[in-house]
Amino acid sequence: MAKVSAFSAQRYIIDDTATEKLRTLLTGSRDETKVITTINRKFPLSIKDIRSVCPVELLGESAWVMPWLTDDAVNYRVAQLARGNSETAALGHFDFILWHRQWIKNKNVDDSLLNHLPVLDFSKKEICVYDSLKTMTSIDEDDMDLLRNVFRKRGGLKDWRETYHVQWRQKDSVNCGIFVCSAAENEVNKLDVQEEGLTMTQCRILRRFHGAEMIKNVDEAIRNVDGNTAIF
């Protein structure tokens, strides 16, 4: 039986080099919307996205600035985690949005929207639900019908079941994205956690960690408008 672990701040410590890399990237005069890296040419990342995860103020000792994460930030981090594990794959939130629009309009999702679906491991026949606020008790039947349609060529989710994994509980209204990223990391790394409500201090630790991980491989020069260049 896997050991169930309590939250440990030691696991998410980032070193001075990572902290300085974040600080350098998040300061100065730059185009915050410019894409600085992508995963599989599908999941872009900009400075604006990084700032939504870990604002430069959060690198200080006492700041508590915690904005909502951008959709692209969450998509990028989850895709980054999936890329590092051969048993997992990621879908962006926009995939489901496109499916949903087609489903509402036609009650059928066009094959053209499914061409780039990753190969998924259906061996367990489970839809795993991660709800950090613990407000979800079941998947809406219309959403299930949509998913059955999407995967109609792969069995249509016949005999599948919903599972609700134990995860950290969210006690605020702004850190939803961080809990998504952390749940994905725990799943990919097969880390079983105990159910516990995380404090804002712990959320701050996770934001710094995920921010540092997201730019770990961003090694190109980032040039300021004023001509200064920071080499990572």
Side-chain angles (χ1 to χ4, degrees):
M1 182 178 294
K3 182 179 179 181
V4 179
S5 304
F7 181 91
S8 172
Q10 292 298 114
R11 186 174 183 276
Y12 302 102
I13 289 177
I14 63 174
D15 59 29
D16 291 342
T17 300
T19 300
E20 189 55 34
K21 185 175 178 179
L22 270 172
R23 193 187 309 279
T24 301
L25 187 62
L26 295 172
T27 54
S29 301
R30 300 187 179 90
D31 180 356
E32 293 196 348
T33 63
K34 182 180 179 180
V35 173
I36 59 175
T37 187
T38 65
I39 291 179
N40 301 331
R41 298 184 179 180
K42 183 178 182 181
F43 301 100
L45 182 71
S46 68
I47 294 175
K48 177 183 177 181
D49 301 322
I50 299 167
R51 193 182 300 281
S52 76
V53 178
C54 181
V56 67
E57 296 88 349
L58 216 58
L59 299 175
E61 293 302 319
S62 58
W64 297 97
V65 181
M66 295 189 184
W68 279 73
L69 271 64
T70 64
D71 290 335
D72 281 341
V74 175
N75 286 336
Y76 179 89
R77 180 60 178 141
V78 173
Q80 184 184 44
L81 287 161
R83 184 177 62 174
N85 188 296
S86 61
E87 298 179 359
T88 60
L91 291 173
H93 78 283
F94 41 75
D95 292 296
F96 190 84
I97 291 173
L98 288 174
W99 298 343
H100 194 264
R101 287 175 179 170
Q102 281 280 315
W103 181 250
I104 293 298
K105 183 179 179 181
N106 303 318
K107 289 299 179 182
N108 183 68
V109 179
D110 290 347
D111 286 343
S112 61
L113 294 179
L114 310 180
N115 290 339
H116 302 290
L117 281 176
V119 177
L120 303 177
D121 181 4
F122 284 4
S123 60
K124 293 183 179 180
K125 291 190 173 182
E126 291 182 352
I127 298 178
C128 300
V129 178
Y130 294 89
D131 178 14
S132 58
L133 291 172
K134 297 200 71 175
T135 59
M136 187 173 182
T137 58
S138 66
I139 299 176
D140 184 83
E141 189 59 32
D142 194 53
D143 287 340
M144 281 301 303
D145 286 340
L146 183 160
L147 291 173
R148 292 184 188 107
N149 183 263
V150 166
F151 297 110
R152 58 188 178 273
K153 294 183 179 180
R154 297 172 180 162
L157 306 187
K158 184 179 179 181
D159 300 324
W160 280 49
R161 64 191 183 103
E162 301 170 30
T163 61
Y164 292 78
H165 285 206
V166 173
Q167 63 172 319
W168 296 321
R169 285 185 291 105
Q170 181 182 347
K171 299 195 294 185
D172 62 82
S173 60
V174 296
N175 281 301
C176 307
I178 284 298
F179 278 83
V180 171
C181 295
S182 298
E185 190 197 22
N186 291 337
E187 179 68 21
V188 166
N189 294 327
K190 301 187 185 306
L191 178 65
D192 292 322
V193 301
Q194 69 181 34
E195 184 176 305
E196 57 182 312
L198 297 193
T199 65
M200 294 298 278
T201 296
Q202 291 167 324
C203 290
R204 174 186 172 182
I205 290 170
L206 288 172
R207 279 178 175 268
R208 294 173 64 163
F209 170 78
H210 286 295
E213 287 294 300
M214 289 168 71
I215 66 168
K216 185 165 57 177
N217 296 320
V218 178
D219 295 322
E220 68 269 25
I222 304 296
R223 183 173 295 279
N224 286 349
V225 172
D226 61 11
N228 295 325
T229 300
I231 306 293
F232 299 140

